[in-house]
Structure formats: C-alpha cells, structure tokens
Amino acid sequence: MPVTVKCRIGTDDIPDWKTNDSELYSQLQKFIETVASSGKVTDFQLHARIAILGRSISPAQNRKIPPLRYDLVRRLVEEYPELTFSLNGGIDSLDMAIQELDHCPDLAGVMVGRSFAAQPWNWACADSLLYNNDSNEVFTLPQNRWELLVEYGKHADAEEKLWTPKIRRQILKALMGLFAGEPNGKKFRIALEEMGGIPKKFEKLGLSMVNEPPLSELILNAAQLHLKDDILYRSPRESYDMGKEVERMRYVKNQEAAAACLGGTDNIGASKSNDDVLVTQERSQAVIEWQELRNEERKQKQTRNTIHSDEETEKEDIEQEHTSTIDAAPSISVISSS
C-alpha cells in the first residue's frame, strides 16, 4: 500500500522564520530526508506555508496569515528528483494551477481543496486543459450545467429512495457552489436550502411525503426559476474563458487602484513582483462565500443543539419538580394517575 505524507514547510519555532530562509529550508530538508530514509515514503504533498503554533490563532487564520512559499517547494523538486512533490495552498483557480505546473514542470501535481468545493464548475475543463483530453471512456461528460443537474437529479432520487428523504440536506450540499458567482446563484442556493428542510417540516407536522414531487423535479424547477438559459447551457470552456477575462479585469482594476495610491500609473499591467519569494493570493469571492456558508451552517447547528439542550433541561426540571411533588404528597400522585 502506498504511503504519502501531507505537511507544511515548517513551523514558527524557527527563530526569525520570516527572514531566516536558510534555516527554514534546512529544517524542511531534514524532515523530508528523515521521512523518506526508509524508502517507504516517496510522495509528499506540501502546503507551502509554515504552521503558526506559538500563538493562539484559528485554523482559518493559519491558512491565510503565513505567507505562501512556493519557491521552497520548487527547490525540493529540483534537489530531490527521486521523490515526488505536489503543491498545495492558495491555488484558487484552474488558471493558477496551470501556471504553477508550467512554472515547475517536474511537480507531480497540484492539490486543491476549498476552491474546488466552492466553485466546482470552474474546474470542469481541467482534463481538457491539463491533459488535452476532452472525452471520457467510462461515461459521457455533461456539456453544461443543465445536463449536470439532470444527471445529478437521477442520483438524488435514487439516494432518497435508498436512504429516505431525511438525508436530503446532505444530497444537496454538492450543488451549493455550482453557480457560485453567477447572477441569482445565491437565490438558487437558498432554494436548495429550503427544499432541504422540507422532510423535517413534514415530519414535525406528521405528514407523509409519498405524493410530493421527486427531488430531481424540485432541483430543475429551481434552476429554471432563478437562472438564465445562457448560464445553464454555457459549456465548461466558455465558463473558463469568461472567468479568465473577469480575473484579468479585476487584476487591472487592482493595479490601477494601487498605482493611484502611489501617485502614478507606470506599473499598471505589470506582472506580479517577487513571485518566487512570496506569493499572496487573494481568496476568490466564491471561496469566501462558501466558507461563510459553512460557518453559518455550523452556527445554525450550534443554535439547534442549544435549543435542544434547553428543552432537555426544562424537561428534566419538570420531571424533577413532578418527582418532588410525588415524594411530598403521594396522595396527589395516586389521584393524578387514576
């Protein structure tokens, strides 16, 4: 069985880690060599940030505050050709993944997490752009998001039939980010959240869902209601090209704003500086929205748990009061039970 290691490039216990590159890289080399010494581990996925352990910050802050050091991962790739390395951290778009693979062709790959979950359609043409593969020998790929929703609806109906509608929220989670960043994408997401709560409402009212429309129908109806046809029927490549143009316009706008603050426009359109030293990639709006959605779900869950806890406490208090009454006046207990 292959054994792989996913790790960061170091921790903040290295003195002056922000400026002491030689010590930081030396410690990283020592770790890689130690783990690989037995020959059982040859594959590493490196999150190109240190982990801040010396002060109390949240996991989310630990994914943003330490600067990205892609240059250190590239050095490992060059100096340890017998090992394989994948780059992780801050890769928010397919275009950025392609750039990093082009920058360092010997990288084994790029690992992406939150961006893929937050905006999956933006990665739909990865096979085409990375591997020049527009076909799939196992199944036919959807040509647009409407086709994808049709196929996913079939899967959703089969899952509900197998596990009952109680798992509807879990089924719908995969669609939450499908239209991230699109006009009315948030309305579609709200519609998914509402249909996800239907089974619980019916259960509370003691109603049956036997005659209710299937989940697939609800999904397609919500898409047609809130989203325009040009969004639903846009191909992966068209979406990718549009995304690139939006990113280009945003970058130029940011450059113009930065130049205005500096009192000049000579650097507008210039490439990002010091890319080999520090990479600070701003999280895309879709990723931010996805993270906010997850945080809101956690808050709602905590609120539900708190309400449930309060109800349980109140129930216990009533039972305790009832028990005390029985102990104090057994005759009342006899009368109330008859």
Side-chain angles (χ1 to χ4, degrees):
M1 178 184 294
V3 179
T4 65
V5 170
K6 184 176 185 293
C7 61
R8 295 216 176 191
I9 58 173
T11 65
D12 59 344
D13 62 353
I14 299 171
D16 301 321
W17 59 267
K18 291 182 181 179
T19 56
N20 194 351
D21 284 1
S22 60
E23 181 62 21
L24 178 60
Y25 186 67
S26 175
Q27 291 289 340
L28 178 58
Q29 280 183 302
K30 183 178 180 181
F31 173 80
I32 295 295
E33 290 172 359
T34 300
V35 174
S37 61
S38 67
K40 294 182 179 180
V41 178
T42 60
D43 190 0
F44 294 84
Q45 291 86 44
L46 282 116
H47 187 153
R49 287 185 174 96
I50 69 152
I52 297 177
L53 307 176
R55 58 192 178 99
S56 179
I57 65 172
S58 69
Q61 290 173 314
N62 233 326
R63 292 192 296 267
K64 298 176 183 177
I65 293 176
L68 287 160
R69 297 296 307 271
Y70 292 165
D71 57 307
L72 298 185
V73 179
R74 294 178 192 133
R75 283 184 65 181
L76 290 175
V77 172
E78 292 175 2
E79 296 177 16
Y80 297 91
E82 72 279 10
L83 304 176
T84 57
F85 298 96
S86 296
L87 181 65
N88 175 240
I91 307 295
D92 283 341
S93 68
L94 178 55
D95 196 43
M96 189 176 179
I98 293 170
Q99 289 175 9
E100 291 304 320
L101 291 169
D102 288 343
H103 195 120
C104 186
D106 290 328
L107 265 175
V110 170
M111 179 179 285
V112 180
R114 284 170 180 78
S115 177
F116 193 91
Q119 43 194 3
W121 189 248
N122 290 5
W123 298 85
C125 56
D127 283 352
S128 174
L129 295 175
L130 291 173
Y131 307 109
N132 296 317
N133 182 10
D134 290 311
S135 62
N136 191 298
E137 296 178 358
V138 180
F139 56 87
T140 302
L141 295 173
Q143 297 303 303
N144 51 61
R145 280 175 280 193
W146 177 257
E147 290 185 8
L148 191 151
L149 288 175
V150 170
E151 293 303 316
Y152 193 82
K154 297 175 184 177
H155 165 73
D157 290 344
E159 289 296 302
E160 282 208 343
K161 185 177 180 180
L162 180 63
W163 300 105
T164 78
K166 289 184 178 181
I167 66 161
R168 179 171 290 187
R169 285 192 185 277
Q170 285 69 33
I171 295 173
L172 292 172
K173 271 188 177 183
L175 298 178
M176 289 295 181
L178 186 59
F179 296 95
E182 300 283 11
N184 289 334
K186 190 172 183 179
K187 289 184 178 180
F188 177 72
R189 194 179 72 202
I190 291 172
L192 293 178
E193 291 172 350
E194 289 175 351
M195 68 180 74
I198 291 174
K200 191 170 184 179
K201 288 180 181 178
F202 271 61
E203 185 180 15
K204 273 189 173 183
L205 296 171
L207 301 175
S208 170
M209 292 189 62
V210 173
N211 296 321
E212 287 300 299
L215 182 54
S216 58
E217 183 178 329
L218 296 178
I219 293 171
L220 295 177
N221 287 345
Q224 288 179 318
L225 177 64
H226 297 296
L227 301 162
K228 293 182 178 179
D229 286 351
D230 67 314
I231 295 173
L232 290 171
Y233 293 98
R234 189 187 302 147
S235 71
R237 186 54 189 257
E238 289 170 341
S239 298
Y240 171 76
D241 290 339
M242 287 183 65
K244 280 191 69 173
E245 180 61 18
V246 169
E247 287 296 323
R248 187 193 68 79
M249 292 174 64
R250 183 183 298 160
Y251 178 67
V252 171
K253 187 177 180 179
N254 290 341
Q255 289 286 86
E256 290 173 346
C261 291
L262 296 172
T265 58
D266 293 338
N267 294 324
I268 294 178
S271 60
K272 297 177 183 178
S273 60
N274 300 324
D275 181 54
D276 288 340
V277 180
L278 294 176
V279 179
T280 53
Q281 174 72 11
E282 181 181 350
R283 311 297 278 181
S284 69
Q285 187 60 34
V287 177
I288 294 171
E289 289 180 0
W290 180 80
Q291 290 175 327
E292 289 174 349
L293 177 62
R294 297 284 82 78
N295 291 335
E296 185 62 29
E297 286 180 349
R298 281 193 288 269
K299 289 178 182 178
Q300 290 176 359
K301 186 175 181 180
Q302 289 174 352
T303 301
R304 288 196 297 268
N305 290 340
T306 301
I307 293 173
H308 180 72
S309 178
D310 291 342
E311 290 175 349
E312 288 295 317
T313 302
E314 184 179 355
K315 182 179 178 182
E316 290 175 2
D317 290 342
I318 293 172
E319 290 176 349
Q320 181 65 36
E321 182 180 349
H322 182 63
T323 303
S324 299
T325 303
I326 292 174
D327 291 341
S331 59
I332 295 175
S333 173
V334 173
I335 293 171
S336 61
S337 61
S338 61

